[in-house]
Amino acid sequence: DEKGERKDVYTKTDIFNKRVVSSPAIAKPQTIHEALAQSISGMSSVNVRFIAEGLGVSEDEARAQLLSEGLVFEDPITGDVVVHFEYTSGNVRDKLKQARANNADGRYDSNISALEKVLPEDIPAHLIYLTLGSDFIPTELYSEFTKERTGVSATFSHASGKWMMSINGGSMTEQNRSMGVRSLSTGVSRLGTDIILSAFTFKNKEFSKTAGKETITDKEATIAYAQKVEDIRAEFNDWMRSKMEADEELRDKIATAYNETVNSFVPMKIPDEYTTAKFQGATDSVTLNPHQAKAAIRATIEPVLLAHEVGTGKTFTLITSAMEMRRRGTAQKPLIVVQNATLGQFVASAK
């Protein structure tokens, strides 16, 4: 209050003044566009039966009209129809391969045309950053680089998102030891092969030892090790570029592999006609911005990362996403993990 003292104020919630739970009436769609929008809004997918019933036509007629107007595309693998903005996003290179492989009768000409329009432009080899741990680089090149730098024969494998190094023979070569880092205060030594593996895994090693209840850490050795990891990444990039300059076939192979595996994804863009500022069952006191509504809809269709800046409404986006997942049936029990410090604020926003 005016004296600076805390004063609690209690007011009646909406339940005392109006209906807060209702079953909204769904307007009968007048066009195929409206029917598709209702299907996406209610189920986050193309339900041909729902669309056909809304328009009073057969499922075959509804499907044919959706395809002819380019509102959906038939998946060549499953035979299901997918809404256009979902089909022309994600790994479009794989989708284009599938469409071309199954297009003997020209059935997927429209798929191919739409995918070619959104296909990312190929990135030339000289613009690709080549680092240790890149999936598109043949593992035998990693073995060759390791042999040159450490004198150690090693093979590399990548499984379940984790890189592993297998040493073939001994690892205590003079070249490998001199490339490494040794801490005199802790007695810990790391070899050059350790540095290379850390460059793969992006995990630096700490030089420390425990003496009784005390842990001694050699900060200088730890920093030196981290610097050598960064240096070996840069060395590998330079080494790869020199090999590619001398070998045109390798250069083309690397560029093709990069574009096929990395430069193949297109982010999903939700058109305005499929968004709404007020979702079913949401309070009238909160109106979502377009970017929040589109993010919530996209979250019901595919995994998302909300890389929004502070203050752009991620809390309401998360709440709406969770409630929409339940309403549309894409998740039965969505869970939101919140920091302890902001839990109370998050709960208040949800209520």
Side-chain angles (χ1 to χ4, degrees):
D1 58 13
E2 296 178 355
K3 297 180 180 180
E5 296 179 356
R6 177 175 174 174
K7 183 178 181 181
D8 294 328
V9 178
Y10 300 91
T11 59
K12 290 183 177 180
T13 60
D14 289 345
I15 196 171
F16 288 92
N17 304 310
K18 59 183 180 181
R19 296 176 65 93
V20 294
V21 177
S22 60
S23 179
I26 300 177
K28 182 177 176 59
Q30 301 300 313
T31 65
I32 193 73
H33 296 78
E34 292 179 0
L36 177 60
Q38 287 183 1
S39 176
I40 298 299
S41 174
M43 290 156 275
S44 292
S45 61
V46 181
N47 189 315
V48 178
R49 176 180 295 181
F50 172 85
I51 294 172
E53 291 176 352
L55 295 174
V57 298
S58 68
E59 291 186 35
D60 289 341
E61 290 175 321
R63 182 187 179 101
Q65 188 175 354
L66 288 167
L67 289 168
S68 65
E69 296 193 22
L71 297 175
V72 302
F73 293 94
E74 181 181 312
D75 189 317
I77 304 302
T78 64
D80 296 332
V81 288
V82 183
V83 67
H84 62 93
F85 59 80
E86 181 180 358
Y87 185 74
T88 54
S89 65
N91 193 336
V92 293
R93 291 189 189 273
D94 275 357
K95 292 178 181 179
L96 184 57
K97 288 179 183 178
Q98 294 167 1
R100 286 172 173 169
N102 293 276
N103 196 41
D105 57 355
R107 181 173 183 174
Y108 298 112
D109 284 344
S110 60
N111 296 43
I112 294 171
S113 177
L115 291 169
E116 287 177 340
K117 290 179 181 178
V118 299
L119 197 69
E121 184 177 351
D122 283 351
I123 297 177
H126 70 276
L127 294 180
I128 300 172
Y129 183 72
L130 306 158
T131 185
L132 291 164
S134 298
D135 292 343
F136 58 89
I137 297 177
T139 56
E140 55 265 25
L141 290 172
Y142 293 140
S143 299
E144 183 181 344
F145 176 76
T146 302
K147 181 68 173 179
E148 288 187 16
R149 291 297 186 271
T150 66
V152 175
S153 296
T155 55
F156 294 85
S157 58
H158 188 226
S160 302
K162 182 179 180 180
W163 279 99
M164 292 171 286
M165 174 195 291
S166 299
I167 304 297
N168 306 319
S171 62
M172 299 304 291
T173 64
E174 179 61 32
Q175 194 177 356
N176 198 20
R177 288 196 299 267
S178 62
M179 179 182 167
V181 177
R182 176 173 173 77
S183 168
L184 296 177
S185 62
T186 64
V188 177
S189 296
R190 311 230 185 252
L191 300 173
T193 47
D194 295 320
I195 293 172
I196 290 176
L197 186 58
S198 290
F200 271 86
T201 60
F202 288 88
K203 292 181 180 179
N204 290 328
K205 301 286 187 179
E206 188 178 72
F207 289 74
S208 63
K209 71 173 183 179
T210 302
K213 295 183 179 180
E214 183 182 4
T215 299
I216 301 172
T217 301
D218 188 338
K219 294 184 179 179
E220 291 184 0
T222 301
I223 293 173
Y225 184 89
Q227 184 59 54
K228 286 205 171 189
V229 170
E230 292 302 317
D231 292 343
I232 203 66
R233 288 197 186 106
E235 285 182 32
F236 178 77
N237 181 60
D238 295 339
W239 181 82
M240 277 294 299
R241 295 214 175 278
S242 64
K243 287 187 73 66
M244 289 164 61
E245 287 175 1
D247 188 341
E248 184 178 351
E249 184 179 348
L250 175 62
R251 181 169 66 248
D252 293 341
K253 181 179 179 180
I254 293 295
T256 300
Y258 176 85
N259 286 297
E260 289 291 333
T261 59
V262 180
N263 185 33
S264 57
F265 288 83
V266 173
M268 185 185 299
K269 296 181 179 179
I270 310 294
D272 291 338
E273 57 264 32
Y274 296 94
T275 64
T276 177
K278 287 276 195 285
F279 286 88
Q280 184 176 323
T283 177
D284 293 333
S285 61
V286 176
T287 300
L288 297 181
N289 292 311
H291 75 275
Q292 292 174 296
K294 291 180 180 181
I297 294 171
R298 185 174 170 184
T300 67
I301 299 174
E302 65 174 4
V304 296
L305 170 65
L306 300 178
H308 298 169
E309 296 179 359
V310 175
T312 53
K314 289 189 294 294
T315 298
F316 283 129
T317 302
L318 287 171
I319 295 167
T320 304
S321 298
M323 297 304 293
E324 281 297 291
M325 286 178 184
R326 287 195 63 184
R327 184 179 72 84
R328 300 183 184 206
T330 57
Q332 293 183 342
K333 190 177 181 180
L335 301 179
I336 302 176
V337 180
V338 183
Q339 292 178 322
N340 290 334
T342 59
L343 179 59
Q345 176 186 350
F346 200 98
V347 171
S349 298
K351 290 182 176 180

